[in-house]
C-alpha cells in the first residue's frame, strides 16, 4: 500500500509540474507547443546527440584519468533507486525516459530561453541554459560531470534555437535517457 501511495504521489507531482510548465510555455514561449516534429528537427536532434555523446566520452576518460571516477552522484542516486524493486524500476524508468525530458526541456529550454532572453540573443541563452542544466544535474563539484551535463544542455539549447521546436529537444533528451537506461535495465535483469 505504501508503494502504491508513493507511486500515485510520484506521478501526481510530475503531472502538476508538467501541466504548469506547459501553461508557462504556452504563455511565455515564442513557439507553438503543437508543432509537429519535422525531419529537419529530428535530424538536428540526432546529429547533436551524436556530437554530445562523443564529448561525453572524452570528458569521461578525462574524469577517469584525473579523478578516477566513472559515475556522477546524479547517476549513482538513480542507480540506487532503480535497484530497490521492480515497481520502483518501472516508475523511475518511465519518469527518467518520458516525464523528465518533457519537464526539463520545457523549463531549461522553452521557458528559460524564451521568457528570460530577448529573441535576438543567440549564444547567451544557450550558454546559460547549458550551465544551469549542468549545475542542476551535478550536485557536488566535479568539473567533468558538470561539463558533461553542461555540454548536453548546451547542445539541447542549440537545437532548440535552431529548430524552434521543443519536441526536437524532448526527443533528444528522451533518446539520451533511454540509451543511458539500457545499461541499468540490463544490470537489473542479470540479478
Amino acid at each position: 500500500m505504501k508503494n502504491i501511495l508513493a507511486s500515485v504521489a510520484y506521478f501526481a507531482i510530475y503531472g502538476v509540474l508538467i501541466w504548469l510548465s506547459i501553461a508557462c510555455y504556452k504563455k511565455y514561449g515564442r513557439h507553438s507547443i503543437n508543432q509537429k516534429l519535422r525531419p529537419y528537427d529530428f535530424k538536428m536532434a540526432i546529429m547533436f546527440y551524436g556530437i554530445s555523446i562523443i564529448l561525453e566520452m572524452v570528458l569521461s576518460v578525462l574524469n577517469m584519468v584525473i579523478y578516477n571516477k566513472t559515475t556522477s552522484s546524479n547517476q549513482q542516486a538513480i542507480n540506487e533507486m532503480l535497484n530497490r524493486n521492480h515497481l520502483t524500476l518501472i516508475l523511475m524508468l518511465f519518469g527518467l525516459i518520458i516525464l523528465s525530458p518533457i519537464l526539463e526541456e520545457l523549463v531549461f529550454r522553452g521557458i528559460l530561453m524564451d521568457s528570460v532572453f530577448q529573441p535576438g540573443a543567440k549564444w547567451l541563452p544557450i550558454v546559460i541554459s547549458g550551465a544551469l542544466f549542468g549545475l542542476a544535474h551535478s550536485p557536488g563539484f566535479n568539473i567533468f560531470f558538470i561539463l558533461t551535463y553542461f555540454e548536453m544542455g548546451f547542445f539541447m539549447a542549440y537545437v532548440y534555437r535552431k529548430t524552434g521546436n521543443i519536441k526536437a529537444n524532448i526527443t533528444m533528451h528522451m533518446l539520451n535517457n533511454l540509451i543511458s537506461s539500457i545499461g541499468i535495465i540490463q544490470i537489473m535483469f542479470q540479478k
Side-chain angles (χ1 to χ4, degrees):
M1 185 63 164
K2 184 179 173 183
N3 284 343
I4 292 171
L5 291 175
S7 301
V8 169
Y10 176 78
F11 284 110
I13 291 168
Y14 255 121
V16 168
L17 292 174
I18 289 172
W19 177 78
L20 289 170
S21 297
I22 289 171
C24 287
Y25 185 77
K26 284 180 177 179
K27 184 172 183 175
Y28 300 109
R30 292 189 193 104
H31 308 284
S32 172
I33 199 164
N34 297 322
Q35 292 183 71
K36 292 186 187 242
L37 189 64
R38 303 168 301 195
Y40 173 78
D41 303 334
F42 187 74
K43 178 182 154 192
M44 291 292 288
I46 297 302
M47 182 172 66
F48 283 98
Y49 172 72
I51 293 169
S52 176
I53 289 300
I54 291 167
L55 281 173
E56 186 177 329
M57 287 189 276
V58 170
L59 290 168
S60 181
V61 168
L62 290 171
N63 193 28
M64 184 62 188
V65 169
I66 294 171
Y67 289 118
N68 199 28
K69 285 195 160 216
T70 57
T71 306
S72 71
S73 56
N74 182 47
Q75 189 64 45
Q76 287 173 342
I78 290 169
N79 292 349
E80 288 171 20
M81 285 187 271
L82 293 176
N83 284 325
R84 291 192 186 141
N85 64 44
H86 289 291
L87 177 62
T88 302
L89 172 69
I90 292 165
L91 294 176
M92 288 298 298
L93 286 174
F94 185 77
L96 183 70
I97 297 167
I98 305 296
L99 301 176
S100 288
I102 293 169
L103 179 61
E104 291 178 7
E105 290 312 308
L106 285 166
V107 171
F108 285 106
R109 260 52 77 185
I111 296 167
L112 173 69
M113 289 178 65
D114 287 353
S115 67
V116 174
F117 298 97
Q118 295 296 320
K122 184 172 182 175
W123 291 107
L124 186 61
I126 293 170
V127 171
I128 297 295
S129 176
L132 291 175
F133 187 78
L135 291 172
H137 284 80
S138 189
F141 188 79
N142 177 313
I143 192 65
F144 295 109
F145 289 137
I146 292 171
L147 287 173
T148 296
Y149 286 107
F150 166 78
E151 63 87 10
M152 280 189 253
F154 177 89
F155 286 121
M156 285 187 262
Y158 183 78
V159 167
Y160 181 63
R161 180 61 77 205
K162 292 298 277 182
T163 65
N165 190 342
I166 198 73
K167 290 178 183 174
N169 299 81
I170 292 170
T171 300
M172 185 176 173
H173 201 145
M174 285 180 176
L175 178 64
N176 180 70
N177 289 6
L178 172 65
I179 290 173
S180 296
S181 299
I182 289 171
I184 296 168
I185 295 168
Q186 287 174 336
I187 290 168
M188 174 67 183
F189 287 108
Q190 288 176 354
K191 291 182 178 183

